[in-house]
Amino acid sequence: MAHVVGIHIAAATWPEQVRAVDEVEAIAQQGLVGDRKFGARRQISIVSNEELAEAAARLGSGIPAGLTRRQITISEGRFDREPGSTVRLGEVVVTVNGDCSPCDEMEESIGPGARAALVELAGITGTIVTGGMIRIGDSVEFE
């Protein structure tokens, strides 16, 4: 079963560095407390190590999850990118908005070719519908 393996928060937009934390509070319809996306339409982004491994194979080198600037990293699984599908992270429920397309900053943070390697593999964005704490080790369910 998939579980949360990484949580990365940044207080400000690029080039502010993300910091790894063990837990974060998710507020319904708002986002992750302390993160730059709090109150934004794209409240949460989630990436899978399984998809990152596929992107790394395309790129020819590893892709550290924190450098993607996605807030939550899960151990395995492929996302249903259909808007309205649901992901549960422990007690937190997220409704998927869609694919989280890679941006130009990935060319700088990860290296040349990263943006192309991550197309359709850079995770999803979503809206938090049920808040709570997200912790390293929490189970992940695709509903």
Side-chain angles (χ1 to χ4, degrees):
M1 172 179 258
H3 58 279
V4 175
V5 294
I7 303 170
H8 295 91
I9 303 299
T13 58
W14 178 265
E16 174 81 18
Q17 296 298 309
V18 298
R19 63 185 170 85
V21 296
D22 293 330
E23 64 181 18
V24 65
E25 185 178 6
I27 306 291
Q29 305 303 319
Q30 293 293 311
L32 302 180
V33 173
D35 189 73
R36 70 205 182 279
K37 298 288 187 178
F38 191 83
R41 183 182 69 80
R42 294 170 74 174
Q43 298 170 8
I44 188 169
S45 55
I46 310 167
V47 69
S48 166
N49 273 341
E50 183 176 326
E51 291 185 348
L52 286 178
E54 189 176 330
R58 286 183 188 173
L59 183 61
S61 66
I63 300 177
L67 295 183
T68 68
R69 301 183 65 81
R70 303 307 183 247
Q71 298 146 315
I72 307 296
T73 306
I74 65 170
S75 59
E76 60 191 276
R78 298 192 66 81
F79 294 104
D80 179 351
R81 286 165 163 76
E82 184 68 31
S85 59
T86 303
V87 179
R88 180 180 291 273
L89 306 163
E91 61 191 29
V92 174
V93 178
V94 175
T95 298
V96 174
N97 295 337
D99 188 59
C100 190
S101 300
C103 59
D104 290 334
E105 285 96 13
M106 291 187 185
E107 294 291 304
E108 217 173 303
S109 66
I110 298 167
R115 183 175 183 181
L118 284 158
V119 169
E120 297 182 355
L121 296 170
I124 54 101
T125 64
T127 300
I128 299 166
V129 294
T130 303
M133 295 300 293
I134 301 173
R135 296 178 177 88
I136 298 293
D138 279 352
S139 62
V140 176
E141 297 175 36
F142 302 97
E143 300 176 348

